[in-house]
Amino acid sequence: ATIRRTEPTAGSGDSARRFGTQRVLVEPDAASGVAVMKFKNPPVNSLSLELLTEFIISLEKLENDKTFRGVILTSDCPRVFSAGLDLTEMCGKNPAHYAEYWKAVQELWLRLYLSNLVLIAAINGACPAGGCLISLTCDYRILADNPKYLIGLNETLLGIVAPFWFKDTLVNTIGHRASEQALQLGLLFLPAEALQVGLVDQVVPEDQVLSTALSVMARWMAIPDHARQLTKNMMRKTTVDRLVKQRDADIQNFVSFISRDSIQKSLQMYLEKLKQKKG
Ligand SMILES: CCCCCCCCC/C=C/C(=O)SCCNC(=O)CCNC(=O)[C@H](O)C(C)(C)COP(=O)(O)OP(=O)(O)OC[C@H]1O[C@@H](n2cnc3c(N)ncnc32)[C@H](O)[C@@H]1OP(=O)(O)O
């Protein structure tokens, strides 16, 4: 994916030029050093290989541009933050594709979890599974107060299992016992429940999600960068190293697990059910 510079939209106010890719819009505000990164992969921001790749490219661009110290992650698709990993990437494909896809999923998590940027998730829609994982890699999570916007690692409901580094990220956020129950039951939390269990840090009216994220960002950016970054690294490095030291094994484990007939069948059935729902 190439990074395309697009002209500022009419009425975009500041002279900041937007850049990004087809599926990841980046709205930089150089004055504040904050960029808003919007997923745009309609209808549900499923994390396809293309979206993952473009996401990594855009994140790297922002990390390499010293103008930016904070990024707000949000969705350009109505009602959905991200529907999680793209199920079509995990069904009916071949082992080589599964390996390539999983490597990209690992890469995104590794880059986000240890990012030197301040990352804030402005969750303006449903946030299941891989979408929830992205929000968990952020430093702070704000969820719109809409009972339709459920959030959680619901993998067991599909007959699959969240890998250990998904689990570790959840445990680091809501604790071991809450994670044990949430992962086994594939819990999808309502906003008030997510706040109560600590899965999100704030629940605000839908039209205040972005403005709240901007004010929280200002608070985090007031901290001397290097001290904050060293502290974040201190908190997260052990978790990241657990994957780094066994990335290939993790890929092989994913490929063999997802290739099982029983797993393929449950994913197909789940996809069918999603399609019927519209019926
Ligand atoms: C042990 C170690 C080994 C590792 C073991 C394996 C690794 C496990 C880690 C997996 C992590 C994951 O993220 S697995 C993904 C889990 N994701 C989910 O369960 C969410 C599924 N989606 C939903 O619940 C809903 O779509 C929701 C997001 C709420 C939006 O609802 P809406 O009514 O607005 O939209 P829908 O009508 O449902 O969906 C619109 C269209 O998008 C499609 N769609 C929806 N979600 C999709 C998805 N994730 N991937 C692809 N396509 C999706 C639908 O089929 C529809 O297709 P058309 O009908 O053609 O338009």
Side-chain angles (χ1 to χ4, degrees), residues 90-110:
M90 300 190 284
C91 310
K93 297 283 191 313
N94 59 55
H97 179 84
Y98 296 146
E100 185 190 8
Y101 182 66
W102 199 245
K103 193 172 166 64
V105 178
Q106 291 175 336
E107 189 65 22
L108 183 66
W109 179 79
L110 289 166

Side-chain angles (χ1 to χ4, degrees), residues 143 149-153 174 178 182 187-194 197 199:
L143 176 60
Y149 301 170
L150 304 179
I151 181 170
L153 293 182
I174 67 172
L187 291 183
L188 286 167
F189 295 91
L190 286 161
E193 296 168 337
V197 78
L199 187 49

Side-chain angles (χ1 to χ4, degrees), residues 31 40 86 89 130 203 240:
K40 185 178 182 186
D86 189 321
E89 303 275 15
V203 170
V240 164

Side-chain angles (χ1 to χ4, degrees), residues 219-237:
R219 197 165 130 228
W220 281 71
M221 284 171 59
I223 305 298
D225 248 15
H226 196 44
R228 179 188 54 76
Q229 290 162 356
L230 287 174
T231 306
K232 180 170 177 174
N233 197 280
M234 175 176 65
M235 295 300 297
R236 297 185 170 197
K237 186 115 177 30

Side-chain angles (χ1 to χ4, degrees), residues 131-186:
C132 178
L133 181 76
I134 287 177
S135 74
L136 287 169
T137 64
C138 295
D139 298 295
Y140 196 92
R141 280 158 294 286
I142 299 157
L143 176 60
D145 192 8
N146 182 327
K148 286 205 187 72
Y149 301 170
L150 304 179
I151 181 170
L153 293 182
N154 62 315
E155 283 79 352
T156 53
L157 304 186
L158 289 71
I160 54 180
V161 179
F164 70 88
W165 40 284
F166 281 49
K167 176 264 295 178
D168 289 342
T169 315
L170 187 65
V171 169
N172 290 350
T173 309
I174 67 172
H176 197 280
R177 171 55 192 155
S179 298
E180 192 178 48
Q181 181 168 231
L183 285 166
Q184 290 187 71
L185 299 179

Side-chain angles (χ1 to χ4, degrees), residues 43-44 46 79-80 83-87 90 102 126 128-130 154-155 158 160-161 163 166 253-254 257-258 270-271 274-275 277-278:
V44 294
S46 48
R79 302 186 321 285
V80 184
L85 300 188
D86 189 321
L87 292 161
M90 300 190 284
W102 199 245
N154 62 315
E155 283 79 352
L158 289 71
I160 54 180
V161 179
F166 281 49
N253 183 33
F254 170 75
F257 180 87
I258 212 79
Y270 187 74
L271 256 178
L274 280 178
K275 296 194 184 308
K277 207 182 61 183
K278 306 236 298 203

